[in-house]
Amino acid sequence: MQNVYLAPETDEDDLYSGYNDYNPTYDTEELENDTAFQQAVRTSHGRRPLITAKIPTTAVTRPIATGYGSKTSLASSMGRPMTGAVQDGVARPMTAVRAAGFTRAALRGSAFDPLGQSRGPAPPLEAKPEDSPEEKIKQLEREVNELVEESCIANSCGDLKLALERAKDAGRKERVLVRQREQVTTPENINLDLTYSVLFNLASQYSANEMYTEALNTYQVIVKNKMFSNAGILKVNMGNIYLKQRNYSKAIKFYRMALDQVPSVHKDMRIKIMQNIGITFIQAGQYSDAINSFEHIMSMAPNLKAGYNLTICYFAVGDREKMKKAFQKLLAVPLEIDEDDKYISPSDDPYTNLVTEAIKNDHLRQMERERKAMAEKYIKAAAKLIAPVIDTSFALGYDWCVEVVKASQYVELADDLEINKAMTYLRQRDFNQAVETLKMLEKKDSRVKSSAATNLSALYFLENELAQASSYADLAVNSDRYSPAALTNKGNTVFASGDYEKAAEFYKEALRNDSSCTEALYNMGLTYKKLNRLDEALDCFLKLHAILRNSAQVLYQIANIYELMEDPNQAIEWLTQMISIVPTDAKALSKLGELYDGVGDKAQAFQYYYESYRYFPSNIEVIEWLGAYYIDTQLYEKAIPYFERASLIQPTQVKWQLMVASCFRRSGNYQKALDTYKDIHRKFPENVECLRFLVRFCTDIGLKEAQEYATKLKRLEKMKERREQRIKSGRDGGGGSRGRREGSAGSDSGQNCSASSKSERLSAKLRALPGTNDPYESSSNKEIDASYVDPLGPQVERPKTAARKRSEEDDFADEELGGDLLPE
């Protein structure tokens, strides 16, 4: 009974006592601030003591309430073992999650390390060796792809040479790659797509650089390789190369081979190849075969290009009826363009208006405009082509085309065809019919009326009927105030009346409406030059030069302005650029010679004057300068041919023949000089200068004609004195006498050119040449100023270009007639 304990009666056991008691040990929110816990987690400071093999209990075992004093406890009364206790030599895990840091077969006394910090950092990933064959192959593939991309980018930027170099490098590295891959793996693992792209890019770059033989060889390598699927379509590219080489038979052969390999489901591709075949037949002159190709296209999938080419083929074979049918088929081709009403906002909804404004000029709208413009271009060109031949007359043919167009979807083109009809009358020099046709369009809508009035204004302006030109220019401007052509024509009429300030305002307004109107910009530059505002004129022409890089007219105007600004070096530079564009322009070459002569460079001046003489040997000013240059250098024999040519050009001017005789005398050929003087006296018996030399020659040689020539000379001198006295008494003061102009060889040339200050200056220099007033024995070497001066004097305005001889009106009336027409 010693083990039996009786419970006190006062201490009743409460089953729910302590249920709500809070143990601060389980306060997990404060664990972060618990220094002891954090240190235990990071280190082994708080390691548990070793657990013995004794089975602990969670409570004291109750003795069995029997009378026996047995100390054995029942299994059910032993209680639950403590967590982490060791049973049968195996530690029990704390939880069912194995990632907590325990193992099932953990040894007794293992440290508590749930985060695995005692094991240290994880080892780094094992890197693959860079020198492995597979890694080298992948690196080489990347390099090949980069080279192909660089080649394509260089081609798109226009650097064809660099593109070809990169393509060749890619080809070389790709072959190395293939050899390395064959050594490592089986041939089936070769990257065929990479090989195909490298070869195709190389062939394309060869073709772009016009190395057609190499391109064909590369394409053959691709086509003959059966491992490349769908490579047969590249025969189209080979056909294109043969077409560029004008080898039409082979081009057609390869096109047909490509057509055979294209499945029938790819209709668009087959149609394009058929179109290539038709164009090749046209270039080869086989119009019947081309007709078959285009007829097939128009029956399967009609398009604008095929319809236009079909019309051309029927025109080439001369079939009128088929031409009409082909033109009607062209008009029937659907444009597949939405109506313009789509771009008009039907309501005041701001969201709808915003969407409408956004799509008014988007890429789709621009593409629709381009397609419509292309259709109008083809139709107008076809009508212009077939109109003269489909009927008995040109007018009837155009009338038929207009009626057919009016019945089609291109109704607005009918008025444009009428304007084309008027332009055709102009080309045929039938101005009356052109004017009548344009006047018929005055009652049309504002756009057509403005175009017709603009052309009528330009016509009357060219005919110098300024009143009519101004009237129609006003009509054109009132019909369409935003038309740059109408404003330019109005400015031209004001320019012709001399109101340059007002003309400049019209040109400025035309440029505000259309900044690309080169006619208005050119004419404004001329206007500023008239107003002597050279800086502003130069600015206009420099802007125009940025738009028209190779315009000889613009280059000439820039050079001329620099000349007026007394900057000959800049003028020479711009004229040199002009010569590079029009190397056979004799006027520009002579102008360059004049500028070089002005700066003292006689050698360059002679070079350009001589080039000008080669291209135009009838320019008397150039001939005169070259003759004076040879006399200045004492090469009298070389000067003779130039003066002889001048005497042929101006046979009534005795000056040139006297210069020929003088050159013979100065070179020592006295007999030839005497014969020349006699011939001059026979043609010009009243020339005093010639008689003086004849008297001197005959006296020194001892000829009998000396007395005869002396008598004639005295008689002429007396007649000259009486004439001068009579003119002097019959005239008021001022003005030179005609008899005075007959006194010398240089003065005789003044009969036609004395009104020009330039000719007077040059004649004064020529009077200093041997053979004017000196006796034939004289051998004085006088210094000759052979500077070239324009005999026509300073001109009011220069032509637009020396290559095109145009009137002064054309300088500021550079207006295209019918701006809506197709170019020829």
Side-chain angles (χ1 to χ4, degrees):
M1 293 298 293
Q2 59 181 356
N3 295 327
V4 176
Y5 297 93
L6 297 177
E9 295 180 1
T10 59
D11 188 11
E12 295 182 358
D13 188 8
D14 188 4
L15 296 177
Y16 299 101
S17 62
Y19 185 81
N20 293 326
D21 294 341
Y22 180 73
N23 190 349
T25 306
Y26 301 105
D27 186 7
T28 57
E29 296 180 357
E30 296 296 331
L31 290 178
E32 293 182 0
N33 300 326
D34 191 345
T35 307
F37 178 78
Q38 294 296 331
Q39 186 176 6
V41 171
R42 293 189 181 91
T43 66
S44 62
H45 176 74
R47 180 178 300 174
R48 286 184 171 187
L50 295 176
I51 301 175
T52 61
K54 181 179 179 181
I55 301 175
T57 58
T58 59
V60 179
T61 58
R62 287 184 180 182
I64 300 175
T66 61
Y68 301 94
S70 174
K71 298 181 181 179
T72 307
S73 301
L74 296 176
S76 59
S77 63
M78 293 175 64
R80 188 181 178 203
M82 182 182 294
T83 304
V86 178
Q87 293 181 356
D88 298 332
V90 179
R92 184 170 181 265
M94 292 180 67
T95 64
V97 181
R98 296 190 60 181
F102 292 94
T103 60
R104 181 174 299 175
L107 298 176
R108 183 184 302 176
S110 61
F112 178 75
D113 189 12
L115 301 180
Q117 295 179 356
S118 62
R119 290 178 294 180
L125 297 175
E126 182 179 357
K128 292 185 178 181
E130 295 182 358
D131 56 347
S132 65
E134 193 64 31
E135 190 66 25
K136 289 183 178 179
I137 288 174
K138 289 183 179 180
Q139 179 63 26
L140 199 54
E141 281 186 353
R142 285 192 291 269
E143 292 178 2
V144 172
N145 282 319
E146 289 175 359
L147 287 172
V148 172
E149 290 178 3
E150 291 177 6
S151 175
C152 296
I153 293 172
N155 183 281
S156 63
C157 296
D159 194 347
L160 302 180
K161 185 176 180 181
L162 179 61
L164 181 58
E165 291 177 357
R166 293 291 183 268
K168 288 181 178 179
D169 293 340
R172 285 190 290 266
K173 289 197 174 184
E174 194 274 334
R175 287 193 293 271
V176 175
L177 173 64
V178 170
R179 286 195 294 268
Q180 290 186 3
R181 190 173 285 278
E182 287 177 351
Q183 295 173 2
V184 176
T185 61
T186 59
E188 290 77 8
N189 294 330
I190 296 176
N191 192 347
L192 292 177
D193 292 338
L194 182 61
T195 304
Y196 180 87
S197 63
V198 169
L199 290 174
F200 179 70
N201 179 62
L202 180 60
S204 301
Q205 302 309 331
Y206 275 134
S207 179
N209 285 271
E210 298 183 356
M211 301 172 65
Y212 298 129
T213 304
E214 292 82 355
L216 289 172
N217 294 337
T218 309
Y219 278 126
Q220 284 287 358
V221 172
I222 302 175
V223 172
K224 289 183 177 180
N225 194 334
K226 302 299 182 182
M227 300 179 68
F228 296 137
S229 59
N230 300 326
I233 195 64
L234 294 182
K235 291 180 181 179
V236 175
N237 294 13
M238 300 175 71
N240 293 339
I241 293 176
Y242 283 120
L243 182 61
K244 291 177 182 178
Q245 293 179 334
R246 300 183 182 275
N247 192 343
Y248 303 120
S249 59
K250 280 196 173 183
I252 294 171
K253 174 184 175 182
F254 276 89
Y255 284 142
R256 286 177 172 170
M257 291 169 64
L259 187 63
D260 293 338
Q261 297 186 12
V262 175
S264 58
V265 294
H266 297 162
K267 293 182 180 180
D268 293 340
M269 179 63 70
R270 293 180 64 86
I271 290 298
K272 291 179 180 179
I273 297 175
M274 286 290 296
Q275 190 158 333
N276 283 9
I277 293 174
I279 292 174
T280 308
F281 276 129
I282 289 179
Q283 295 191 9
Q286 302 177 21
Y287 298 108
S288 300
D289 296 327
I291 288 172
N292 294 333
S293 299
F294 291 124
E295 285 284 4
H296 175 73
I297 295 173
M298 294 301 290
S299 62
M300 297 297 295
N303 60 76
L304 294 170
K305 290 183 179 180
Y308 178 69
N309 289 331
L310 182 61
T311 307
I312 291 177
C313 291
Y314 281 128
F315 173 80
V317 298
D319 193 334
R320 293 185 177 182
E321 295 300 324
K322 293 291 182 65
M323 272 188 271
K324 292 181 178 180
K325 292 181 180 179
F327 186 71
Q328 291 173 340
K329 288 182 180 179
L330 176 62
L331 293 174
V333 173
L335 273 181
E336 300 177 357
I337 294 177
D338 294 335
E339 298 295 333
D340 292 338
D341 297 340
K342 171 184 176 182
Y343 302 99
I344 300 176
S345 180
S347 63
D348 295 334
D349 184 12
Y351 177 77
T352 305
N353 294 337
L354 185 62
V355 173
T356 304
E357 289 295 329
I359 65 175
K360 270 185 178 180
N361 199 30
D362 59 355
H363 292 294
L364 180 60
R365 180 59 172 164
Q366 293 175 5
M367 185 185 72
E368 289 178 348
R369 288 199 193 100
E370 291 175 1
R371 184 174 177 81
K372 187 175 181 180
M374 183 179 67
E376 293 177 355
K377 175 183 176 181
Y378 284 147
I379 292 170
K380 288 190 285 188
K384 179 181 175 182
L385 180 68
I386 67 174
V389 297
I390 59 175
D391 215 319
T392 55
S393 68
F394 149 76
L396 293 176
Y398 246 110
D399 292 338
W400 180 88
C401 292
V402 170
E403 293 299 325
V404 174
V405 170
K406 286 181 178 179
S408 67
Q409 56 183 330
Y410 304 97
V411 181
E412 64 276 4
L413 278 183
D415 296 329
D416 294 335
L417 289 180
E418 291 285 355
I419 295 178
N420 270 9
K421 181 180 177 181
M423 296 303 103
T424 308
Y425 278 127
L426 283 178
R427 295 186 187 95
Q428 295 177 354
R429 304 294 181 181
D430 193 348
F431 299 104
N432 295 328
Q433 286 290 339
V435 171
E436 291 179 6
T437 305
L438 290 172
K439 285 182 177 180
M440 291 172 59
L441 300 174
E442 292 182 21
K443 299 179 181 180
K444 300 288 183 178
D445 59 2
S446 60
R447 182 184 66 85
V448 179
K449 183 191 298 185
S450 175
S451 179
T454 299
N455 291 334
L456 285 169
S457 174
L459 279 173
Y460 284 120
F461 184 84
L462 294 176
E463 292 178 356
N464 206 23
E465 298 182 14
L466 298 181
Q468 291 282 355
S470 179
S471 174
Y472 279 105
D474 291 334
L475 178 61
V477 171
N478 294 333
S479 301
D480 187 2
R481 185 70 186 184
Y482 298 100
S483 172
L487 291 168
T488 301
N489 272 2
K490 180 59 181 175
N492 293 344
T493 58
V494 176
F495 186 99
S497 63
D499 192 351
Y500 303 122
E501 293 287 352
K502 191 175 180 181
E505 292 299 325
F506 279 108
Y507 296 141
K508 287 179 182 178
E509 187 176 356
L511 287 172
R512 283 194 296 269
N513 294 334
D514 183 7
S515 59
S516 62
C517 184
T518 56
E519 295 83 6
L521 187 57
Y522 185 92
N523 294 346
M524 190 164 68
L526 291 181
T527 305
Y528 285 139
K529 196 162 71 166
K530 289 283 188 181
L531 295 170
N532 202 26
R533 293 155 63 177
L534 298 181
D535 292 332
E536 296 178 56
L538 181 62
D539 184 55
C540 291
F541 287 118
L542 288 175
K543 290 180 181 178
L544 195 58
H545 175 63
I547 302 173
L548 307 174
R549 302 296 299 181
N550 296 323
S551 174
Q553 303 170 356
V554 176
L555 292 172
Y556 178 82
Q557 291 295 341
I558 295 174
N560 182 245
I561 291 175
Y562 275 120
E563 183 186 3
L564 296 176
M565 296 171 70
E566 298 181 356
D567 190 349
N569 294 324
Q570 284 289 339
I572 288 172
E573 181 179 347
W574 286 96
L575 273 180
T576 305
Q577 293 185 37
M578 176 186 170
I579 292 299
S580 65
I581 298 172
V582 281
T584 60
D585 193 327
K587 186 68 176 177
L589 289 168
S590 64
K591 189 65 182 177
L592 261 177
E594 176 186 345
L595 292 172
Y596 274 115
D597 191 21
V599 298
D601 194 343
K602 296 286 185 181
Q604 285 288 346
F606 172 75
Q607 178 184 351
Y608 285 109
Y609 272 122
Y610 182 74
E611 288 294 319
S612 175
Y613 174 76
R614 283 202 315 118
Y615 290 117
F616 185 59
S618 300
N619 190 336
I620 197 68
E621 293 83 14
V622 175
I623 294 172
E624 192 170 13
W625 192 93
L626 289 172
Y629 174 80
Y630 281 121
I631 291 178
D632 188 22
T633 55
Q634 299 183 6
L635 299 173
Y636 305 110
E637 296 86 352
K638 292 186 176 181
I640 291 173
Y642 294 102
F643 291 125
E644 286 179 346
R645 180 172 290 275
S647 65
L648 292 175
I649 296 172
Q650 296 179 346
T652 59
Q653 300 238 1
V654 69
K655 174 180 69 172
W656 309 118
Q657 300 182 41
L658 286 173
M659 292 305 302
V660 172
S662 175
C663 289
F664 279 127
R665 179 177 61 82
R666 296 293 296 173
S667 62
N669 194 345
Y670 299 114
Q671 184 60 42
K672 190 68 175 177
L674 179 60
D675 295 338
T676 304
Y677 279 125
K678 288 182 179 180
D679 186 61
I680 294 171
H681 177 67
R682 186 170 58 255
K683 294 178 181 178
F684 303 94
E686 295 184 358
N687 187 269
V688 176
E689 190 70 24
C690 180
L691 281 173
R692 287 175 181 170
F693 278 102
L694 281 174
V695 170
R696 180 73 62 177
F697 261 108
C698 293
T699 302
D700 292 344
I701 299 176
L703 296 178
K704 298 178 180 179
E705 294 93 343
Q707 186 61 37
E708 179 183 353
Y709 291 138
T711 304
K712 290 181 179 180
L713 179 60
K714 290 180 181 179
R715 185 171 63 251
L716 283 176
E717 288 177 347
K718 290 180 181 179
M719 291 175 59
K720 178 181 176 182
E721 290 177 1
R722 288 195 298 269
R723 187 182 299 114
E724 288 179 352
Q725 291 176 359
R726 186 165 56 250
I727 292 174
K728 192 172 182 179
S729 62
R731 290 181 57 183
D732 294 332
S737 65
R738 182 170 181 173
R740 192 183 311 127
R741 291 200 301 270
E742 295 177 354
S744 65
S747 300
D748 291 336
S749 65
Q751 296 174 2
N752 295 326
C753 304
S754 60
S756 172
S757 60
K758 186 174 182 179
S759 179
E760 290 175 358
R761 289 195 299 269
L762 189 54
S763 297
K765 302 301 178 184
L766 287 176
R767 276 196 291 270
L769 299 178
T772 53
N773 296 319
D774 297 336
Y776 76 97
E777 295 87 359
S778 173
S779 59
S780 60
N781 296 327
K782 296 188 177 182
E783 182 177 0
I784 302 171
D785 183 6
S787 61
Y788 174 80
V789 186
D790 191 355
L792 298 180
Q795 297 181 4
V796 178
E797 183 51 59
R798 296 288 185 181
K800 296 189 70 172
T801 174
R804 298 176 61 192
K805 309 299 180 184
R806 303 181 64 175
S807 63
E808 181 179 348
E809 290 83 4
D810 287 339
D811 293 341
F812 52 84
D814 189 15
E815 172 65 28
E816 57 180 22
L817 299 180
D820 299 329
L821 303 183
L822 286 175
E824 291 185 332

